[in-house]
Amino acid sequence: MPNSSDGPWWADAIGYEVYIRSFNDGNGDGVGDFSGLTERLDHIADLGVDLIWVTPFYPSPMVDFGYDVATFVDVDPLFGTLDDIDRCLARAHELGLKVIIDMVPNHTSDQHQWFVESASSPDHPKRDWYLWRDPAPDGGPPNNWVSQFGGPGWTFHEATGQYFFHAFLPEQPDLNWRNPEVVAAFEEILTFWLDRGVDGFRIDVTQGLVKDAALRSNPELRPLTDGMSRFEQWDSFEHRHDIMQPETLDVFRRWRRLADSRNAVLVGETYVLDAAALRHFLEPNDGIHIGFWFEPMHTEWDAAALRSVLADPHREAGANVGWVMSSHDDPRAPGRFGGGREGAERARGLFTMLSMMPGLPFLYMGDELGLSDGQVEPDRFIDPVVFRTGVVTDNRDGCRTPMPWEPGSPMFGFTSLDDGWLPHGGRTDADTVAAQSADSDSPLAHMRRLLHTRRTWFASDLAGVGSVTFGPIDEENPSVIWFDRGPLRCVLNTADTLAEVPVPAGSTVEYRSLADFTEVELASSTASPDVVSLRAREALIVRRGGEAT
Ligand code: GLC
C-alpha cells in the first residue's frame, strides 16, 4: 500500500475494476471466470495497483449479466466455485492486492427465492420484502416512476393482481429497504463474505436503496415521448421520491460499523453528478468510506469544466472521492475524448491528474492499455438495455469486450475458443498486454511508470498530505489547469498546442505523461528555467522550487 501515514489502508491506493466476464477465461467456455482472473493477477500487481473490484459473480439468470442475483452467498458455475474464490483471494493477498466484491442490494433477480416466495401470495410473510402495490384507479401503475433502463418502473403481476417496482429490468425487482428483515438479511450476507476474506464491497446503486414511504409520484419535468433514450426518459422527472432518501444513510451507518470492525472498505456507486450530493452518503463520516464521482465520464474536454470536475468533489468530499474515467457501464475515456491518439493522450493526461487527487482513483481493466471501446456489430448486441429502448447509443457492449492479452490467437489470449461471449471488438496485436509490455513507450509502460513513481512519492513527500490546492486558470494560459499537493505541482495542458507555463524558480520535472522513458526534460522549447513546456494534451508533475511565481 502506498501510504506510510496512519490513514486507512486505502488512503492513496489505486483501484482496478475487473469486469469478470471479460477479463480472462480460465475454463475455455468463452466467459471470464475466477481461475482466469487468478492466472492474470500478476498483471494487475505489476501495474502498481493496490485493490481490485470484481463485478458480480453470484448465481444468476444473467439477464443483466450478473447484476440480477439469484443468491448472494454462492458463485455461478460459469465463474467457478467458492474454492476458486478462496484461491483467488489467497493469491491476490500474496501479491499485496486487496479484493472488494460487488454487492447488489437494491434489487435481486426475479429467480431469487425471496422473490419467488414474495410473488407467491399477497399474504406470504416475504410479500413486504419487495415493493408491491395495487393498480392505480385506472388500472395503470401505482405511480409515475420510470426504470433506469427505460420504460415504466412497474410491472403488473397477473397471478396476484398487484404491480411490483423495478428500477432496472422487470427481472430485477427492487427490495423494500424499509423492511428490517431485509436490512438484517444483508448484514448476514456481508458477514459471510467478510468471513471469507474479502476486503470490502463496491455497493451497486447506492443512491437508490430506500424509497419514499408513500411511493409518491415524481414531479414531471417534460412529457415522455416515443424514441427517447433511457437517459432522456430518466431526465424527464425530478427524482425526488425514488432515489436519495435520507434513510438510505441509516443502512450504510450499520454497514459502516460492520466494515470498520473488519478493516474493510465500502465504496459506493453514488450516481450523482452534483458534487454536494456526494456528501449525503459520507457525512458525518459514518456512512460509506468512498463515493464514486462519475463526472469525469461525462465532462467535455475543456479546461474550466475539467478543473471543476476535479476541484468540486474534492471541496465537498475530500479524500472520500472515488475517481473513475471508464467503467463497464459507459464508453471508455479515450473514445469519449475524441478517439485515436488524441483521445488516448487526453485520457492519459486526465488520469495522471486524477491519480494525484486525494481519494481512491480506479482504472477500468484495459485503461492501462489506452483502449477505446471495442466495436460490436448490431447482430452481436447482447446488452439488455438496447433491446428495452431500441436506442443503440444506450448499448454497453462496446466497453465490455474482452481484454486482449497476447498476439497470435483469435481472441488475443482471452479464451482458447475462436470467439467469446462478446467479440474482441477489433483489437490488434499492439493492443495486447504482451506487446505493450515489450514496448517502453506503450500506454502500459507509461501507466506502470506513473503508478510506481506515485508510490514512491506517497511513501515519502506526500505521506499524510490529504488535500490539494488548485490554482486559478490563468488568462495567459487558459488551457492549463493545475493543483499543488505537498511539494508537487500537477499540471495539465488541455490544448492541442504547446503551452509554456510558469513555475516557481528552481522547479524540477518529475513526471511527464507523454515523455518516453529516456527523456528527462523537454529541453528544446523551455524558454527560461522558471517556465516549463507542456506538449499538447500533456500532464506534468514538477517538484516546486523555492520561490513563488
Ligand atoms: C449498476 C451496474 C450496472 C447494472 C445496474 C443494475 O449501475 O453498474 O451494470 O446494470 O447497476 O444492477
Side-chain angles (χ1 to χ4, degrees):
M1 294 296 131
N3 192 309
S4 65
S5 68
D6 20 295
W9 59 257
W10 57 87
D12 299 314
I14 292 279
Y16 184 95
E17 178 189 353
V18 171
Y19 187 68
I20 190 162
R21 297 183 66 91
S22 299
F23 192 66
N24 189 38
D25 173 18
N27 68 356
D29 63 359
V31 181
D33 48 39
F34 273 101
S35 63
L37 168 57
T38 308
E39 275 170 31
R40 304 280 190 188
L41 282 173
D42 292 80
H43 163 68
I44 305 178
D46 287 349
L47 258 179
V49 158
D50 306 291
L51 88 155
I52 62 175
W53 145 31
V54 185
T55 57
F57 49 78
Y58 313 100
S60 163
M62 302 291 166
V63 180
D64 190 21
F65 297 112
Y67 281 96
D68 47 324
V69 178
T71 165
F72 289 94
V73 289
D74 207 345
V75 188
D76 195 285
L78 198 58
F79 302 121
T81 61
L82 284 171
D83 285 345
D84 289 330
I85 294 202
D86 292 345
R87 274 190 285 273
C88 185
L89 286 171
R91 178 67 186 142
H93 290 156
E94 217 170 78
L95 290 167
L97 291 167
K98 304 274 190 183
V99 181
I100 69 174
I101 62 171
D102 218 310
M103 190 45 62
V104 191
N106 180 68
H107 45 269
T108 68
S109 160
D110 61 352
Q111 305 299 305
H112 196 298
Q113 186 60 25
W114 298 342
F115 187 75
V116 173
E117 289 177 24
S118 184
S120 66
S121 151
D123 304 321
H124 193 281
K126 285 217 169 58
R127 187 66 165 182
D128 186 51
W129 281 43
Y130 292 83
L131 297 165
W132 294 96
R133 287 297 182 277
D134 287 335
D138 67 356
N143 70 23
N144 68 0
W145 295 357
V146 290
S147 154
Q148 294 186 38
F149 284 171
W154 294 90
T155 290
F156 187 62
H157 187 248
E158 295 282 346
T160 56
Q162 287 193 309
Y163 280 86
F164 65 92
F165 178 68
H166 49 88
F168 296 90
L169 300 172
E171 295 85 353
Q172 294 170 296
D174 277 41
L175 285 160
N176 174 17
W177 275 92
R178 290 185 184 270
N179 183 326
E181 290 172 6
V182 170
V183 177
F186 269 86
E187 280 169 19
E188 280 180 32
I189 293 165
L190 298 186
T191 306
F192 172 90
W193 288 108
L194 290 168
D195 286 348
R196 258 202 132 82
V198 306
D199 302 294
F201 302 95
R202 176 268 188 187
I203 308 163
D204 196 52
V205 197
T206 301
Q207 70 279 9
L209 267 49
V210 180
K211 277 56 168 191
D212 177 51
L215 301 183
R216 284 171 286 181
S217 279
N218 284 319
E220 187 185 274
L221 302 175
R222 62 181 178 203
L224 292 173
T225 53
D226 287 345
M228 277 182 164
S229 73
R230 61 188 170 113
F231 304 109
E232 288 164 340
Q233 294 181 33
W234 180 255
D235 291 344
S236 300
F237 297 90
E238 182 201 323
H239 292 277
R240 196 182 291 172
H241 301 305
D242 53 348
I243 57 170
M244 297 292 287
Q245 302 303 296
E247 295 87 344
T248 299
L249 183 58
D250 297 336
V251 175
F252 294 136
R253 288 195 168 119
R254 300 173 67 114
W255 288 27
R256 171 70 175 257
R257 285 196 288 274
L258 193 55
D260 283 351
S261 72
R262 306 294 194 97
N263 201 16
V265 67
L266 300 175
V267 181
E269 187 204 19
T270 38
Y271 228 109
V272 290
L273 297 182
D274 139 33
L278 251 191
R279 288 216 324 245
H280 172 81
F281 303 100
L282 306 161
E283 282 201 351
N285 226 13
D286 59 356
I288 57 176
H289 300 100
I290 300 283
F292 274 132
W293 171 240
F294 290 102
E295 197 53 20
M297 290 188 182
H298 300 280
T299 179
E300 295 296 304
W301 188 260
D302 163 81
L306 290 164
R307 184 182 182 281
S308 71
V309 158
L310 296 168
D312 295 356
H314 180 61
R315 189 186 58 238
E316 299 293 341
N320 299 110
V321 182
W323 302 96
V324 277
M325 283 190 334
S326 301
S327 81
H328 68 288
D329 286 330
D330 289 276
R332 288 177 176 276
R336 217 162 15 76
F337 291 142
R341 184 175 148 202
E342 284 77 12
E345 290 181 355
R346 286 179 181 144
R348 194 191 295 177
L350 179 58
F351 187 79
T352 305
M353 300 295 274
L354 295 185
S355 78
M356 295 303 289
M357 291 295 297
L360 184 49
F362 272 78
L363 288 165
Y364 174 48
M365 60 176 206
D367 280 354
E368 72 276 29
L369 305 173
L371 299 182
S372 289
D373 280 6
Q375 289 137 29
V376 181
E377 298 304 323
D379 65 340
R380 292 295 299 272
F381 284 171
I382 193 166
D383 181 6
V385 162
V386 80
F387 302 111
R388 205 164 149 83
T389 60
V391 178
V392 171
T393 47
D394 284 356
N395 192 313
R396 299 173 294 180
D397 293 329
C399 59
R400 297 176 173 181
T401 55
M403 271 288 279
W405 294 100
E406 287 117 19
S409 78
M411 288 297 289
F412 298 97
F414 162 71
T415 175
S416 52
L417 302 180
D418 288 350
D419 201 357
W421 75 284
L422 275 172
H424 64 68
R427 299 297 177 217
T428 64
D429 288 355
D431 292 326
T432 61
V433 171
Q436 294 203 11
S437 294
D439 172 3
S440 65
D441 196 29
S442 66
L444 177 58
H446 279 273
M447 186 60 75
R448 284 186 180 144
R449 178 170 168 242
L450 171 66
L451 298 188
H452 287 281
T453 311
R454 175 186 180 285
R455 269 193 177 169
T456 62
W457 292 324
F458 281 108
S460 53
D461 324 82
L462 295 186
V465 182
S467 66
V468 299
T469 312
F470 276 83
I473 292 186
D474 173 7
E475 276 173 29
E476 299 279 307
N477 281 301
S479 68
V480 172
I481 59 177
W482 61 270
F483 59 81
D484 285 344
R485 186 164 185 184
L488 300 182
R489 176 165 298 180
C490 309
V491 195
L492 174 67
N493 176 18
T494 63
D496 289 325
T497 50
L498 197 79
E500 305 276 350
V501 182
V503 290
S507 296
T508 50
V509 175
E510 297 246 332
Y511 177 82
R512 285 182 177 279
S513 66
L514 299 181
D516 55 37
F517 265 65
T518 51
E519 185 180 26
V520 177
E521 181 111 24
L522 188 63
S524 55
S525 54
T526 298
S528 80
D530 48 11
V531 170
V532 291
S533 299
L534 276 85
R535 293 183 173 104
R537 305 173 290 278
E538 186 169 45
L540 180 88
I541 300 175
V542 297
R543 181 173 298 276
R544 296 197 312 280
E547 278 174 44
T549 45

